[in-house]
């Protein structure tokens, strides 16, 4: 087998577990941060993965460190806190941030990693844990062209579609735009479904009309199983994460001076849902039970 880079992974949760699985399947040595937020790791350890106790140890044992954590505060913590990645980073090592983050913070993080002797790219993910396990994620990458080209073979082990958005932070910028559109349509469809039910319209009729008309698309198909039968497994994205991502979108658009009239309404809808650990499809039920 050809010599493979040693890969470190921080965040083997719903998305990161699939990333780890496919990196190991491709033959890369992999060290995983031992953390309570991980999914069960037995299959990854059986496939050759090993554990590290701290982010620093992950970096010391890796040439590439992949971050699959919640957002900007978590990225900053695992990189720069005591025993963080920056303390163990090898000269020229690469940090790949697959989180959803605030672009201005991403640029500052990249500068700090460069000062520590490393390199940085953002590779924001779309799709779901199902596609992560199948090695079919979408990635939106912010990196210099040469670094993107050199890293693409590794990214292809766990991603089906890989877009080069531009320089560092462009991936996170496009991810926030993507999530605003996706979560915005989810909110519109949830509210429409709730109103449809209150009007006594059969769900099947609603799905037929929307699916064959202006409502069809990827998000519609992910929400369809929940509307049909209450199955939310195809859209395992929490309301809390939706609220967080839309908050990041507001921070970005405010810095840009961009209009965000619709985004404020969408965020208000998600922020008002309780409990926040519900999945996005379950917002339909909350709205259906709530009347003005």
């Amino acid at each position: 087998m050809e010599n493979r880079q040693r890969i470190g992974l921080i965040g083997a949760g719903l998305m990161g577990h699939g990333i780890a699985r496919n990196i190991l399947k491709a033959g890369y040595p992999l060290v995983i941060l031992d953390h309570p937020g991980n999914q069960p790791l037995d299959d990854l350890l059986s496939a050759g993965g090993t554990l590290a106790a701290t982010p620093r140890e992950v970096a010391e044992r890796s040439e590439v460190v992949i971050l699959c954590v919640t957002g900007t505060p978590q990225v900053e913590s695992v990189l720069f806190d005591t025993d963080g990645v920056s303390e163990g980073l090898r000269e020229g090592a690469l940090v790949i941030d697959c989180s959803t983050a605030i672009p201005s913070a991403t640029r500052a993080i990249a500068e700090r990693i460069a000062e520590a002797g490393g390199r940085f790219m953002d590779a924001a993910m779309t799709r779901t844990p199902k596609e992560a396990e199948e090695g079919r994620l979408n990635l939106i990458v912010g990196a210099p062209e040469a670094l993107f080209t050199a890293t693409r073979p590794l990214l292809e082990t766990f991603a089906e579609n890989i877009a080069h958005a531009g320089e560092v932070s462009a991936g996170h910028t496009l991810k926030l735009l993507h999530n605003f559109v996706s979560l915005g349509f989810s909110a519109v469809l949830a509210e429409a479904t709730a109103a449809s039910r209150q009007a006594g319209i059969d769900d099947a009729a609603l799905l037929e009309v929307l699916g064959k008309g202006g409502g069809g698309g990827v998000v519609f198909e992910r929400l369809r199983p929940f509307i049909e039968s209450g199955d939310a497994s195809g859209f395992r994205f929490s309301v809390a994460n939706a609220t967080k991502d839309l908050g990041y979108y507001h921070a970005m658009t405010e810095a840009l001076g961009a209009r965000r009239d619709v985004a404020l309404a969408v965020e208000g809808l998600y922020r008002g849902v309780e409990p926040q650990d519900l999945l996005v499809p379950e917002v339909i039920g909350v709205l259906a039970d709530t009347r003005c």
Side-chain angles (χ1 to χ4, degrees), residues 75 79-80 95 97 103-122 142 168-169:
V75 170
L79 290 178
F80 305 121
V95 175
D97 180 8
S104 59
T106 297
R107 292 190 290 273
I109 288 167
E111 290 176 3
R112 294 180 68 180
I113 291 298
E115 291 168 0
R119 299 173 295 163
F120 182 93
M121 68 161 54
D122 43 308
V168 167
S169 82

Side-chain angles (χ1 to χ4, degrees), residues 177-232:
L177 290 164
H178 170 276
N179 277 21
F180 166 52
V181 172
S182 175
L183 292 168
F185 184 71
S186 298
V188 168
L189 183 56
E191 195 168 277
T193 303
S196 175
R197 288 175 175 177
Q198 289 168 346
I201 301 296
D202 185 75
D203 285 343
L206 175 72
L207 290 169
E208 180 181 6
V209 170
L210 292 181
K212 293 180 179 178
V218 172
V219 174
F220 176 80
E221 293 303 326
R222 286 186 183 158
L223 286 170
R224 180 193 287 272
F226 184 81
I227 297 171
E228 288 178 328
S229 63
D231 178 8

Side-chain angles (χ1 to χ4, degrees), residues 252-270:
M252 179 184 76
T253 51
E254 183 175 22
L256 293 170
R259 293 286 296 267
R260 54 187 188 279
D261 308 61
V262 174
L264 288 168
V266 172
E267 185 193 18
L269 185 147
Y270 286 110

Side-chain angles (χ1 to χ4, degrees), residues 47-166:
T50 59
L51 295 177
T54 65
R56 176 177 181 165
E57 184 185 345
V58 172
E60 289 171 341
R61 295 169 55 187
S62 305
E63 294 159 281
V64 178
V65 178
I66 298 174
L67 310 180
C68 192
V69 296
T70 303
T72 295
Q74 293 76 22
V75 170
E76 293 173 335
S77 177
V78 299
L79 290 178
F80 305 121
D81 283 358
T82 301
D83 279 332
V85 166
S86 62
E87 294 184 5
L89 199 64
R90 295 164 170 265
E91 186 68 26
L94 174 62
V95 175
I96 302 176
D97 180 8
C98 291
S99 71
T100 301
I102 300 171
S104 59
T106 297
R107 292 190 290 273
I109 288 167
E111 290 176 3
R112 294 180 68 180
I113 291 298
E115 291 168 0
R119 299 173 295 163
F120 182 93
M121 68 161 54
D122 43 308
M125 304 174 289
T126 68
R127 291 190 166 173
T128 72
K130 176 178 181 292
E131 285 87 16
E133 291 291 336
E134 295 169 350
R136 297 178 50 248
L137 288 173
N138 292 340
L139 293 180
I140 314 167
V141 179
E145 182 74 40
L147 181 58
F148 170 72
T149 300
T151 310
R152 185 165 187 135
L154 170 62
L155 302 179
E156 287 176 342
T157 66
F158 59 89
E160 180 177 35
N161 301 303
I162 305 172
H164 185 214

Side-chain angles (χ1 to χ4, degrees), residues 7-42:
I7 312 300
L9 178 74
I10 296 176
L14 288 174
M15 301 294 281
H17 183 280
I19 291 174
R21 178 177 179 272
N22 285 286
I23 288 172
L24 286 166
K25 186 177 178 181
Y28 287 88
L30 181 68
V31 57
I32 304 161
L33 178 66
D34 192 8
H35 189 275
N38 291 340
Q39 292 290 294
L41 301 179
D42 291 351

